[in-house]
Amino acid sequence: MADEDELDRLLDKLTLRTKVRLLTGATTWRTAAEPDLGLGELVLSDGPAGVRGEGWDERRTSVLLPSASALAATWDEHLVEELGGLLASEARRKGVDVVLAPNLNLHRTPLAGRHFECFSEDPVLTGRIGAALIRGVQAHGVAATAKHFVANDTETDRLTVDVRIDERTLREVYLAPFEAAVAAGVRLVMAGYNQVDGTTMTAHPLLTAPLKSEWGFAGVVVSDWGAVRGTLDTARAGLDLQMPGPAGEWGEPLVRAVEAGEVEESAVDDKVRRLLRLAAWAGALGRPRRRARPHLRPRQARALARRAVAAGTVLLVNRGVLPLAPARLGTVAVIGAAAARTRTQGGGSAGVFPQDEVPLLDGIRAGLRGRARVVHVPGPVPDGPPPPLDMVVASDPRTGTPGVLLRVLDADGDELYSAHRRGGRQLEPPVPPGAHTVEISARLHPRTSGTWRIGIAGFGRLSLHLDGRPLLDGEFPPTTDDPAVLHVSPPTRAADAELSAGSTPLLVARRELAPGTGRATVVGARPPGPGTAAALDAASRAAREADVAVVVVGTGEQHESEGRDRSHLTLGPDQDALVHAVVQANPRTVAVVNSGGPVELPWRDDVGALLLAWFPGQEAGGGLADVLFGRAEPGGRLPTTWPARLADAPVTRTRPDAGRLPYDEGIHLGHRGWLRARRTPAYWFGHGLGYTTWAYDELSGPARIVAGEDLTVRVRLRNTGARPGREVVQVYLSRPERSAVDYPERWLAGWTAVRGLPGETVDAQVRVPARALSHWDVTSGGWRTEPGPYRLLAGPSVGELPLTVGVLAVDRCREASDAD
Ligand code: BGC
């Protein structure tokens, strides 16, 4: 690795033009190389639930982990660090130097489209879990990226929204996780698309102070993809690297601006030095490139991903139903479309093509093989776009191989490219010169006769033909310039077609490649199902005849995705009716919720047990079956407060007014907002059950502390159940006295996890950092601890804190004079 003097020597060798060239990506995912300097390219790739590699190609699969909310739900920094290592191993396998993760934005509102991709509603939990992931990734020589700096918490108008936020809130809540990331040594920070207080983030003074100056961030500030919109403002600010490239706002205009004295050359030098520093760290400077090999074998990676599923699964309710004892089961009814097609990830740039997905149904079948009968009933047909063609429903019309045929045609319809592909989701078909039309064709293999729904997603001119008959033909111009929507999840247009089981009709989908419409083309088909009433009947019957029913409900692809926020939290009347019907038929019903963020659960008081599976990643089935059958404890505790109804949530506004989105709740987001409004959610932040029970016996800590010092508290608890277990012991703070400072009702100060055998008493040592007792003082522009009494509270969630003890904070000078 080069030292700082060496970086300066290298910098001196570069002309202004070369330096500026290095500051814009060479491609969508690569930085520019400079062979004369021995500087290689750096390859960047999304995260956070897996490492996709360069480009979107379903043949290049990735290990898919549970989504970020599920990782935060583990409250387990060791595990998250290991998972960071897994991402690094994947990065190695794919030749990636920089992983674009973690996402440190907060769950400010449950409607946020990228809720699943962010850790939690709490700055401390987000900061600690994010730092753990960063340590895990970077320990293997792969760089992590803390994104999206800052206050990019919702999707509506995300490219332009101006978030209005006061200084104290910014520091204590939204910047705090990034501060923790920098303290953990993160190598890159990504500047978001949004504005904060009137300035776009890629040109924002916050990139300099506090990020680079006060926090000492020595890494690279990279723009979110396409977030640079001006030359001078962004070049003068702390932004270092513009992505993607090679086109952009810097290049020649920046060279001219430096020559004209409008931008200091030293500003350019600082950016290049940071880039060189990163390259040196990543092994891309000064010596022949040798990337390390992946350190995990596929089997090890899968086992770890499976462990993570159980660790993040939250058991919200258990009326004696879980864990299930396979030896005592005759028949298990597994109900719901999501049981067979478990949604393993959210939509948008975070998406990867998983290696092999194990749906919950397969996990249950594997767990009960040779012991109990498993019956699956899909329930009502889910709404939303038809699922992409896969290797079951489609085959290549030329070869008969399962999958589809992808062709690119010129304006005369002549073939420029053709390839067999695995499915109907083609986001980056090649575009050879003269490319005019993308065509996806397949023979369909319907197993059910009736009305199928056939769909095509993409922008521009689209058509669908079935055995030569037109199903759909029209012009659908882009409705947004958001890259996630344009390139990853464009809307679907669909039409009905009558198909009979056993036939092999030829489906041909075409999309013309007009400028500005992107390349994404997705073709899907959904089989007919019974009507809702018949589907509910079948579900009730199966539940009644089973010893236990497991009903899986969740959000569809159209709900949780980057590029748009949700407008409601319901699962829809059909899914709610399904759970009602199943519970009525069999009280021994386990409801499994397959969503990335909160949904309303109107039947939650009726079910036998309620599990949140989140988006569990590719090992969904194995990991959830481990929990259901008690091979693993459900390790999850809520990283965000779960409303009973959207209307109760403290923050529901996502739509800016005249371009502005005020964060009026200030520091009172999430559980702090619920507490202040005296509202009761369905489940509090921190809540989650294991398979044993705990008594919280005693809390002790220092009676008095000096402002600015850390403290440690001890929580004594006892495993009062019949099984060994793990408990996440949470410590909160409150300020009992009136004060000039507006404190939250209570706030998370620290946590730790303990394990204990039945009957065992264990002591949890929870470290409370000095920062937990301080607030950002706007007048002095610094952190300050108000002297006086505080209360420490301990328990299993912010809504259940049986132990409390007082602590007096005294000023350092007061302490000194007392000692005299
Ligand atoms: C997203 C980023 C992502 C980038 C590259 C953007 O649209 O906001 O999170 O890393 O695209 O895919």
Side-chain angles (χ1 to χ4, degrees):
M1 198 182 298
D3 62 21
E4 293 295 313
D5 292 343
E6 174 65 8
L7 296 185
D8 283 340
R9 270 194 296 279
L10 292 175
L11 199 56
D12 284 345
K13 292 188 188 164
L14 298 175
T15 64
L16 173 63
R17 189 155 275 108
T18 309
K19 287 189 268 195
V20 167
R21 184 175 63 76
L22 296 181
L23 299 181
T24 296
T27 71
T28 309
W29 303 110
R30 287 178 185 237
T31 61
E34 180 51 38
D36 288 350
L37 223 57
L39 172 67
E41 302 168 315
L42 292 172
V43 177
L44 296 82
S45 165
D46 283 305
V51 181
R52 192 170 57 244
E54 286 177 278
W56 294 82
D57 184 325
E58 82 284 1
R59 295 165 300 185
R60 292 196 229 129
T61 58
S62 311
V63 175
L64 174 62
L65 297 178
S67 50
S69 325
L71 299 192
T74 67
W75 295 62
D76 185 340
E77 290 156 291
H78 293 294
L79 176 62
V80 172
E81 213 171 312
E82 272 188 86
L83 295 169
L86 188 157
L87 292 179
S89 187
E90 283 287 280
R92 288 306 186 206
R93 187 167 70 80
K94 289 173 170 272
V96 166
D97 304 292
V98 176
V99 178
L100 300 174
N103 185 336
L104 299 179
N105 299 128
L106 294 179
H107 294 167
R108 177 171 173 263
T109 158
L111 293 172
R114 294 179 94 168
H115 200 283
F116 68 90
E117 210 188 305
C118 307
F119 291 121
S120 84
E121 70 186 14
D122 186 83
V124 172
L125 180 60
T126 296
R128 279 177 59 176
I129 294 292
L133 194 93
I134 290 162
R135 286 194 301 271
V137 173
Q138 297 194 161
H140 298 275
V142 173
T145 310
K147 69 186 187 184
H148 309 81
F149 191 84
V150 61
N152 182 184
D153 307 292
T154 38
E155 298 297 282
T156 309
D157 298 344
R158 68 168 175 155
L159 305 185
T160 52
V161 60
D162 179 11
V163 172
R164 293 280 153 164
I165 191 168
D166 67 87
E167 182 186 333
R168 179 176 169 211
T169 302
L170 197 54
R171 284 286 187 153
E172 289 185 22
V173 179
Y174 296 95
L175 284 172
F178 288 94
E179 189 178 0
V182 172
V186 74
R187 293 276 158 185
L188 293 94
V189 168
M190 185 190 286
Y193 290 118
N194 57 304
Q195 305 178 43
V196 169
D197 293 332
T199 306
T200 194
M201 281 317 303
T202 47
H204 210 286
L206 287 169
L207 299 176
T208 311
L211 179 63
K212 288 182 173 176
S213 54
E214 190 185 317
W215 298 349
F217 175 63
V220 169
V221 176
V222 58
S223 72
D224 199 342
W225 266 231
V228 178
R229 293 169 202 112
T231 306
L232 297 185
D233 57 346
T234 51
R236 288 178 188 146
L239 186 78
D240 301 312
L241 173 64
Q242 174 179 208
M243 289 301 288
E249 300 292 326
W250 285 357
E252 251 342 277
L254 178 53
V255 173
R256 282 199 301 274
V258 175
E259 284 168 350
E262 291 171 313
V263 173
E264 299 281 335
E265 186 156 0
S266 60
V268 170
D269 287 350
D270 181 59
K271 299 176 199 301
V272 177
R273 193 180 295 110
R274 287 167 180 271
L275 205 63
L276 294 178
R277 192 179 292 136
L278 173 65
W281 180 84
L285 185 65
R287 55 188 147 102
R289 196 69 193 274
R290 260 214 338 262
R291 284 196 175 86
R293 298 165 66 83
H295 63 277
L296 290 178
R297 280 199 266 277
R299 203 157 34 86
Q300 292 171 306
R302 296 196 69 153
L304 182 52
R306 176 168 174 165
R307 186 145 62 82
V309 177
T313 298
V314 184
L315 177 59
L316 289 174
V317 172
N318 190 8
R319 300 187 172 91
V321 174
L322 289 180
L324 303 172
R328 277 190 252 133
L329 295 171
T331 302
V332 174
V334 182
I335 294 164
R341 239 180 212 276
T342 307
R343 195 157 172 239
T344 56
Q345 59 182 329
S349 62
V352 301
F353 292 98
Q355 281 174 345
D356 241 330
E357 285 173 307
V358 185
L360 177 55
L361 178 60
D362 293 11
I364 294 179
R365 283 204 168 119
L368 295 178
R369 188 157 299 128
R371 300 202 230 192
R373 204 162 73 90
V374 177
V375 179
H376 176 236
V377 179
V381 178
D383 55 2
L389 298 183
D390 60 19
M391 295 171 78
V392 176
V393 79
S395 67
D396 184 329
R398 272 192 189 157
T399 60
T401 318
V404 305
L405 175 67
L406 170 66
R407 300 202 306 151
V408 180
L409 313 172
D410 67 14
D412 300 326
D414 290 332
E415 182 176 300
L416 299 174
Y417 167 92
S418 81
H420 170 76
R421 302 294 288 259
R422 295 165 62 90
R425 188 154 189 258
Q426 297 298 330
L427 300 184
E428 284 183 344
V431 276
H436 178 272
T437 300
V438 173
E439 181 192 276
I440 297 173
S441 61
R443 291 240 165 243
L444 300 182
H445 298 273
R447 289 189 192 160
T448 325
S449 299
T451 309
W452 282 62
R453 190 98 180 128
I454 316 278
I456 177 166
F459 288 110
R461 187 168 192 89
L462 309 176
S463 69
L464 284 172
H465 286 82
L466 195 69
D467 281 337
R469 273 181 307 111
L471 286 182
L472 182 147
D473 193 350
E475 188 71 40
F476 303 96
T479 45
T480 174
D481 51 3
D482 189 308
V485 181
L486 210 52
H487 303 296
V488 184
S489 52
T492 301
R493 331 284 160 173
D496 289 339
E498 295 303 316
L499 303 186
S500 28
S503 65
T504 54
L506 177 67
L507 175 66
V508 179
R510 292 210 180 102
R511 164 175 161 9
E512 286 181 13
L513 291 161
T517 62
R519 279 190 273 168
T521 312
V522 185
V523 184
R526 165 167 294 131
T532 303
L536 296 179
D537 259 12
S540 299
R541 217 172 318 118
R544 199 170 307 115
E545 288 163 10
D547 300 300
V548 169
V550 179
V551 57
V552 190
V553 286
T555 52
E557 188 165 343
Q558 69 280 25
H559 295 123
E560 291 179 85
S561 179
E562 178 180 341
R564 55 181 179 265
D565 291 313
R566 291 198 275 171
S567 56
H568 63 79
L569 299 183
T570 71
L571 289 168
D574 283 2
Q575 294 202 85
D576 286 336
L578 180 67
V579 185
H580 277 303
V582 171
V583 174
Q584 250 167 30
N586 191 338
R588 284 175 57 79
T589 288
V590 182
V592 179
V593 180
N594 180 199
S595 72
V599 283
E600 292 172 5
L601 310 169
W603 31 259
R604 65 183 195 283
D605 291 332
D606 307 325
V607 292
L610 175 54
L611 281 173
L612 293 186
W614 310 104
F615 294 144
Q618 65 175 50
E619 301 303 323
L624 288 167
D626 289 342
V627 169
L628 289 173
F629 301 128
R631 297 185 297 240
E633 231 195 346
R637 304 294 184 264
L638 282 178
T640 204
T641 307
W642 201 276
R645 296 173 320 150
L646 171 63
D648 300 339
V651 179
T652 55
R653 178 167 156 200
T654 57
R655 182 155 298 285
D657 185 10
R660 294 178 173 192
L661 187 64
Y663 281 22
D664 286 337
E665 73 288 356
I667 58 170
H668 304 280
L669 82 161
H671 52 280
R672 302 170 176 190
W674 286 88
L675 289 163
R676 192 167 68 144
R678 306 261 176 268
R679 288 189 204 151
T680 308
Y683 306 104
W684 282 108
F685 174 78
H687 172 69
L689 307 168
Y691 284 152
T692 188
T693 47
W694 295 88
Y696 279 72
D697 286 340
E698 196 187 308
L699 169 65
S700 51
R704 183 187 154 96
I705 51 141
V706 177
E709 287 180 4
D710 298 351
L711 69 141
T712 299
V713 297
R714 187 172 55 83
V715 186
R716 173 156 294 178
L717 61 167
R718 212 163 12 100
N719 181 344
T720 50
R723 293 172 60 109
R726 169 181 178 268
E727 175 73 343
V728 177
V729 181
Q730 301 158 40
V731 172
Y732 295 82
L733 274 160
S734 75
R735 188 86 163 94
E737 279 184 354
R738 279 193 159 281
S739 142
V741 180
D742 171 31
Y743 288 100
E745 282 277 310
R746 28 187 190 271
W747 64 97
L748 182 67
W751 82 88
T752 193
V754 291
R755 290 179 184 279
L757 297 170
E760 192 178 341
T761 291
V762 285
D763 278 344
Q765 309 277 346
V766 181
R767 203 181 69 88
V768 175
R771 175 65 69 82
L773 282 96
S774 49
H775 65 274
W776 181 258
D777 181 33
V778 184
T779 320
S780 63
W783 295 99
R784 180 163 174 263
T785 301
E786 220 192 3
Y790 290 77
R791 294 203 78 71
L792 288 155
L793 305 100
S797 84
V798 72
E800 191 187 347
L801 296 165
L803 302 178
T804 162
V805 70
V807 57
L808 184 72
V810 295
D811 265 337
R812 195 175 289 280
C813 39
R814 157 101 187 274
E815 170 78 1
S817 64
D818 280 3
D820 289 343

PDB file of all heavy atoms in Angstrom, residues 405-426:
ATOM      1  N   LEU A 405     -35.959 -17.515 -25.513  1.00  0.00           N
ATOM      2  CA  LEU A 405     -35.005 -17.096 -26.541  1.00  0.00           C
ATOM      3  C   LEU A 405     -34.979 -15.575 -26.553  1.00  0.00           C
ATOM      4  O   LEU A 405     -36.035 -14.933 -26.685  1.00  0.00           O
ATOM      5  CB  LEU A 405     -35.456 -17.622 -27.905  1.00  0.00           C
ATOM      6  CG  LEU A 405     -34.612 -17.152 -29.103  1.00  0.00           C
ATOM      7  CD1 LEU A 405     -33.197 -17.742 -29.038  1.00  0.00           C
ATOM      8  CD2 LEU A 405     -35.277 -17.556 -30.421  1.00  0.00           C
ATOM      9  N   LEU A 406     -33.788 -15.012 -26.399  1.00  0.00           N
ATOM     10  CA  LEU A 406     -33.631 -13.556 -26.443  1.00  0.00           C
ATOM     11  C   LEU A 406     -32.997 -13.197 -27.779  1.00  0.00           C
ATOM     12  O   LEU A 406     -31.951 -13.755 -28.145  1.00  0.00           O
ATOM     13  CB  LEU A 406     -32.727 -13.102 -25.288  1.00  0.00           C
ATOM     14  CG  LEU A 406     -32.274 -11.643 -25.321  1.00  0.00           C
ATOM     15  CD1 LEU A 406     -33.455 -10.695 -25.133  1.00  0.00           C
ATOM     16  CD2 LEU A 406     -31.221 -11.391 -24.237  1.00  0.00           C
ATOM     17  N   ARG A 407     -33.635 -12.300 -28.520  1.00  0.00           N
ATOM     18  CA  ARG A 407     -33.057 -11.853 -29.792  1.00  0.00           C
ATOM     19  C   ARG A 407     -33.049 -10.335 -29.841  1.00  0.00           C
ATOM     20  O   ARG A 407     -33.917  -9.670 -29.255  1.00  0.00           O
ATOM     21  CB  ARG A 407     -33.889 -12.359 -30.969  1.00  0.00           C
ATOM     22  CG  ARG A 407     -33.972 -13.880 -31.043  1.00  0.00           C
ATOM     23  CD  ARG A 407     -34.314 -14.359 -32.440  1.00  0.00           C
ATOM     24  NE  ARG A 407     -35.514 -13.742 -32.971  1.00  0.00           N
ATOM     25  CZ  ARG A 407     -35.742 -13.539 -34.284  1.00  0.00           C
ATOM     26  NH1 ARG A 407     -34.842 -13.913 -35.173  1.00  0.00           N
ATOM     27  NH2 ARG A 407     -36.869 -12.983 -34.689  1.00  0.00           N
ATOM     28  N   VAL A 408     -32.063  -9.785 -30.546  1.00  0.00           N
ATOM     29  CA  VAL A 408     -32.055  -8.355 -30.828  1.00  0.00           C
ATOM     30  C   VAL A 408     -32.098  -8.220 -32.349  1.00  0.00           C
ATOM     31  O   VAL A 408     -31.327  -8.875 -33.059  1.00  0.00           O
ATOM     32  CB  VAL A 408     -30.815  -7.674 -30.223  1.00  0.00           C
ATOM     33  CG1 VAL A 408     -30.822  -6.182 -30.535  1.00  0.00           C
ATOM     34  CG2 VAL A 408     -30.774  -7.901 -28.712  1.00  0.00           C
ATOM     35  N   LEU A 409     -33.022  -7.408 -32.821  1.00  0.00           N
ATOM     36  CA  LEU A 409     -33.261  -7.303 -34.263  1.00  0.00           C
ATOM     37  C   LEU A 409     -32.947  -5.893 -34.749  1.00  0.00           C
ATOM     38  O   LEU A 409     -33.027  -4.925 -33.970  1.00  0.00           O
ATOM     39  CB  LEU A 409     -34.741  -7.605 -34.559  1.00  0.00           C
ATOM     40  CG  LEU A 409     -35.326  -8.853 -33.883  1.00  0.00           C
ATOM     41  CD1 LEU A 409     -36.834  -8.916 -34.112  1.00  0.00           C
ATOM     42  CD2 LEU A 409     -34.651 -10.124 -34.403  1.00  0.00           C
ATOM     43  N   ASP A 410     -32.603  -5.777 -36.052  1.00  0.00           N
ATOM     44  CA  ASP A 410     -32.431  -4.428 -36.598  1.00  0.00           C
ATOM     45  C   ASP A 410     -33.783  -3.921 -37.106  1.00  0.00           C
ATOM     46  O   ASP A 410     -34.819  -4.602 -36.970  1.00  0.00           O
ATOM     47  CB  ASP A 410     -31.336  -4.406 -37.669  1.00  0.00           C
ATOM     48  CG  ASP A 410     -31.715  -5.190 -38.921  1.00  0.00           C
ATOM     49  OD1 ASP A 410     -32.923  -5.534 -39.071  1.00  0.00           O
ATOM     50  OD2 ASP A 410     -30.826  -5.466 -39.745  1.00  0.00           O
ATOM     51  N   ALA A 411     -33.760  -2.751 -37.746  1.00  0.00           N
ATOM     52  CA  ALA A 411     -35.033  -2.120 -38.141  1.00  0.00           C
ATOM     53  C   ALA A 411     -35.777  -2.951 -39.177  1.00  0.00           C
ATOM     54  O   ALA A 411     -37.004  -2.839 -39.298  1.00  0.00           O
ATOM     55  CB  ALA A 411     -34.754  -0.715 -38.666  1.00  0.00           C
ATOM     56  N   ASP A 412     -35.062  -3.807 -39.911  1.00  0.00           N
ATOM     57  CA  ASP A 412     -35.736  -4.655 -40.906  1.00  0.00           C
ATOM     58  C   ASP A 412     -36.197  -5.979 -40.308  1.00  0.00           C
ATOM     59  O   ASP A 412     -36.690  -6.857 -41.031  1.00  0.00           O
ATOM     60  CB  ASP A 412     -34.789  -4.957 -42.078  1.00  0.00           C
ATOM     61  CG  ASP A 412     -34.347  -3.685 -42.768  1.00  0.00           C
ATOM     62  OD1 ASP A 412     -35.177  -2.757 -42.820  1.00  0.00           O
ATOM     63  OD2 ASP A 412     -33.178  -3.602 -43.189  1.00  0.00           O
ATOM     64  N   GLY A 413     -35.950  -6.168 -39.050  1.00  0.00           N
ATOM     65  CA  GLY A 413     -36.343  -7.436 -38.415  1.00  0.00           C
ATOM     66  C   GLY A 413     -35.270  -8.513 -38.555  1.00  0.00           C
ATOM     67  O   GLY A 413     -35.513  -9.675 -38.194  1.00  0.00           O
ATOM     68  N   ASP A 414     -34.094  -8.137 -39.054  1.00  0.00           N
ATOM     69  CA  ASP A 414     -33.022  -9.136 -39.163  1.00  0.00           C
ATOM     70  C   ASP A 414     -32.328  -9.295 -37.815  1.00  0.00           C
ATOM     71  O   ASP A 414     -32.138  -8.326 -37.072  1.00  0.00           O
ATOM     72  CB  ASP A 414     -32.007  -8.720 -40.233  1.00  0.00           C
ATOM     73  CG  ASP A 414     -32.613  -8.825 -41.630  1.00  0.00           C
ATOM     74  OD1 ASP A 414     -33.527  -9.661 -41.806  1.00  0.00           O
ATOM     75  OD2 ASP A 414     -32.205  -8.038 -42.513  1.00  0.00           O
ATOM     76  N   GLU A 415     -31.921 -10.532 -37.550  1.00  0.00           N
ATOM     77  CA  GLU A 415     -31.356 -10.855 -36.235  1.00  0.00           C
ATOM     78  C   GLU A 415     -29.911 -10.365 -36.112  1.00  0.00           C
ATOM     79  O   GLU A 415     -29.064 -10.682 -36.935  1.00  0.00           O
ATOM     80  CB  GLU A 415     -31.417 -12.376 -36.064  1.00  0.00           C
ATOM     81  CG  GLU A 415     -30.921 -12.847 -34.739  1.00  0.00           C
ATOM     82  CD  GLU A 415     -31.095 -14.353 -34.600  1.00  0.00           C
ATOM     83  OE1 GLU A 415     -32.241 -14.832 -34.670  1.00  0.00           O
ATOM     84  OE2 GLU A 415     -30.075 -15.033 -34.449  1.00  0.00           O
ATOM     85  N   LEU A 416     -29.636  -9.591 -35.060  1.00  0.00           N
ATOM     86  CA  LEU A 416     -28.265  -9.126 -34.799  1.00  0.00           C
ATOM     87  C   LEU A 416     -27.630  -9.943 -33.678  1.00  0.00           C
ATOM     88  O   LEU A 416     -26.414 -10.019 -33.554  1.00  0.00           O
ATOM     89  CB  LEU A 416     -28.281  -7.660 -34.367  1.00  0.00           C
ATOM     90  CG  LEU A 416     -28.848  -6.656 -35.373  1.00  0.00           C
ATOM     91  CD1 LEU A 416     -28.925  -5.277 -34.758  1.00  0.00           C
ATOM     92  CD2 LEU A 416     -27.958  -6.625 -36.616  1.00  0.00           C
ATOM     93  N   TYR A 417     -28.478 -10.502 -32.828  1.00  0.00           N
ATOM     94  CA  TYR A 417     -27.983 -11.235 -31.653  1.00  0.00           C
ATOM     95  C   TYR A 417     -29.055 -12.220 -31.249  1.00  0.00           C
ATOM     96  O   TYR A 417     -30.249 -11.925 -31.345  1.00  0.00           O
ATOM     97  CB  TYR A 417     -27.723 -10.258 -30.503  1.00  0.00           C
ATOM     98  CG  TYR A 417     -27.500 -10.898 -29.147  1.00  0.00           C
ATOM     99  CD1 TYR A 417     -26.216 -11.219 -28.701  1.00  0.00           C
ATOM    100  CD2 TYR A 417     -28.591 -11.192 -28.318  1.00  0.00           C
ATOM    101  CE1 TYR A 417     -26.032 -11.811 -27.463  1.00  0.00           C
ATOM    102  CE2 TYR A 417     -28.396 -11.791 -27.075  1.00  0.00           C
ATOM    103  CZ  TYR A 417     -27.116 -12.093 -26.653  1.00  0.00           C
ATOM    104  OH  TYR A 417     -26.926 -12.672 -25.441  1.00  0.00           O
ATOM    105  N   SER A 418     -28.636 -13.404 -30.824  1.00  0.00           N
ATOM    106  CA  SER A 418     -29.627 -14.305 -30.227  1.00  0.00           C
ATOM    107  C   SER A 418     -28.936 -15.176 -29.186  1.00  0.00           C
ATOM    108  O   SER A 418     -27.755 -15.502 -29.325  1.00  0.00           O
ATOM    109  CB  SER A 418     -30.303 -15.165 -31.295  1.00  0.00           C
ATOM    110  OG  SER A 418     -29.488 -16.253 -31.630  1.00  0.00           O
ATOM    111  N   ALA A 419     -29.654 -15.493 -28.127  1.00  0.00           N
ATOM    112  CA  ALA A 419     -29.086 -16.343 -27.070  1.00  0.00           C
ATOM    113  C   ALA A 419     -30.218 -16.984 -26.292  1.00  0.00           C
ATOM    114  O   ALA A 419     -31.303 -16.404 -26.147  1.00  0.00           O
ATOM    115  CB  ALA A 419     -28.227 -15.510 -26.131  1.00  0.00           C
ATOM    116  N   HIS A 420     -29.922 -18.168 -25.798  1.00  0.00           N
ATOM    117  CA  HIS A 420     -30.862 -18.810 -24.891  1.00  0.00           C
ATOM    118  C   HIS A 420     -30.691 -18.170 -23.515  1.00  0.00           C
ATOM    119  O   HIS A 420     -29.575 -17.960 -23.061  1.00  0.00           O
ATOM    120  CB  HIS A 420     -30.571 -20.312 -24.804  1.00  0.00           C
ATOM    121  CG  HIS A 420     -31.346 -20.965 -23.706  1.00  0.00           C
ATOM    122  ND1 HIS A 420     -32.687 -21.234 -23.826  1.00  0.00           N
ATOM    123  CD2 HIS A 420     -30.983 -21.347 -22.457  1.00  0.00           C
ATOM    124  CE1 HIS A 420     -33.110 -21.769 -22.701  1.00  0.00           C
ATOM    125  NE2 HIS A 420     -32.100 -21.839 -21.842  1.00  0.00           N
ATOM    126  N   ARG A 421     -31.787 -17.827 -22.866  1.00  0.00           N
ATOM    127  CA  ARG A 421     -31.689 -17.250 -21.518  1.00  0.00           C
ATOM    128  C   ARG A 421     -32.647 -17.986 -20.587  1.00  0.00           C
ATOM    129  O   ARG A 421     -33.568 -18.656 -21.012  1.00  0.00           O
ATOM    130  CB  ARG A 421     -32.020 -15.753 -21.553  1.00  0.00           C
ATOM    131  CG  ARG A 421     -31.121 -14.961 -22.495  1.00  0.00           C
ATOM    132  CD  ARG A 421     -29.692 -14.942 -22.025  1.00  0.00           C
ATOM    133  NE  ARG A 421     -29.528 -14.114 -20.862  1.00  0.00           N
ATOM    134  CZ  ARG A 421     -29.032 -12.875 -20.887  1.00  0.00           C
ATOM    135  NH1 ARG A 421     -28.634 -12.331 -22.022  1.00  0.00           N
ATOM    136  NH2 ARG A 421     -28.917 -12.171 -19.779  1.00  0.00           N
ATOM    137  N   ARG A 422     -32.372 -17.797 -19.259  1.00  0.00           N
ATOM    138  CA  ARG A 422     -33.091 -18.619 -18.276  1.00  0.00           C
ATOM    139  C   ARG A 422     -34.513 -18.140 -17.991  1.00  0.00           C
ATOM    140  O   ARG A 422     -35.338 -18.908 -17.524  1.00  0.00           O
ATOM    141  CB  ARG A 422     -32.310 -18.646 -16.962  1.00  0.00           C
ATOM    142  CG  ARG A 422     -30.960 -19.322 -17.089  1.00  0.00           C
ATOM    143  CD  ARG A 422     -30.100 -19.001 -15.888  1.00  0.00           C
ATOM    144  NE  ARG A 422     -30.694 -19.492 -14.666  1.00  0.00           N
ATOM    145  CZ  ARG A 422     -30.473 -20.694 -14.144  1.00  0.00           C
ATOM    146  NH1 ARG A 422     -29.655 -21.518 -14.753  1.00  0.00           N
ATOM    147  NH2 ARG A 422     -31.049 -21.055 -13.037  1.00  0.00           N
ATOM    148  N   GLY A 423     -34.781 -16.851 -18.227  1.00  0.00           N
ATOM    149  CA  GLY A 423     -36.120 -16.379 -17.857  1.00  0.00           C
ATOM    150  C   GLY A 423     -36.503 -15.104 -18.574  1.00  0.00           C
ATOM    151  O   GLY A 423     -35.741 -14.536 -19.362  1.00  0.00           O
ATOM    152  N   GLY A 424     -37.709 -14.628 -18.264  1.00  0.00           N
ATOM    153  CA  GLY A 424     -38.272 -13.501 -18.981  1.00  0.00           C
ATOM    154  C   GLY A 424     -37.837 -12.142 -18.473  1.00  0.00           C
ATOM    155  O   GLY A 424     -38.312 -11.119 -18.963  1.00  0.00           O
ATOM    156  N   ARG A 425     -36.960 -12.092 -17.457  1.00  0.00           N
ATOM    157  CA  ARG A 425     -36.547 -10.795 -16.924  1.00  0.00           C
ATOM    158  C   ARG A 425     -35.200 -10.422 -17.538  1.00  0.00           C
ATOM    159  O   ARG A 425     -34.142 -10.892 -17.085  1.00  0.00           O
ATOM    160  CB  ARG A 425     -36.451 -10.896 -15.397  1.00  0.00           C
ATOM    161  CG  ARG A 425     -36.224  -9.589 -14.721  1.00  0.00           C
ATOM    162  CD  ARG A 425     -36.741  -9.585 -13.288  1.00  0.00           C
ATOM    163  NE  ARG A 425     -36.699  -8.247 -12.759  1.00  0.00           N
ATOM    164  CZ  ARG A 425     -35.757  -7.820 -11.923  1.00  0.00           C
ATOM    165  NH1 ARG A 425     -34.827  -8.634 -11.483  1.00  0.00           N
ATOM    166  NH2 ARG A 425     -35.782  -6.578 -11.509  1.00  0.00           N
ATOM    167  N   GLN A 426     -35.219  -9.605 -18.579  1.00  0.00           N
ATOM    168  CA  GLN A 426     -34.001  -9.231 -19.289  1.00  0.00           C
ATOM    169  C   GLN A 426     -33.817  -7.726 -19.150  1.00  0.00           C
ATOM    170  O   GLN A 426     -34.447  -6.946 -19.845  1.00  0.00           O
ATOM    171  CB  GLN A 426     -34.096  -9.650 -20.765  1.00  0.00           C
ATOM    172  CG  GLN A 426     -34.217 -11.149 -20.965  1.00  0.00           C
ATOM    173  CD  GLN A 426     -32.989 -11.891 -20.425  1.00  0.00           C
ATOM    174  OE1 GLN A 426     -31.866 -11.358 -20.410  1.00  0.00           O
ATOM    175  NE2 GLN A 426     -33.190 -13.116 -19.971  1.00  0.00           N
TER     176      GLN A 426
END
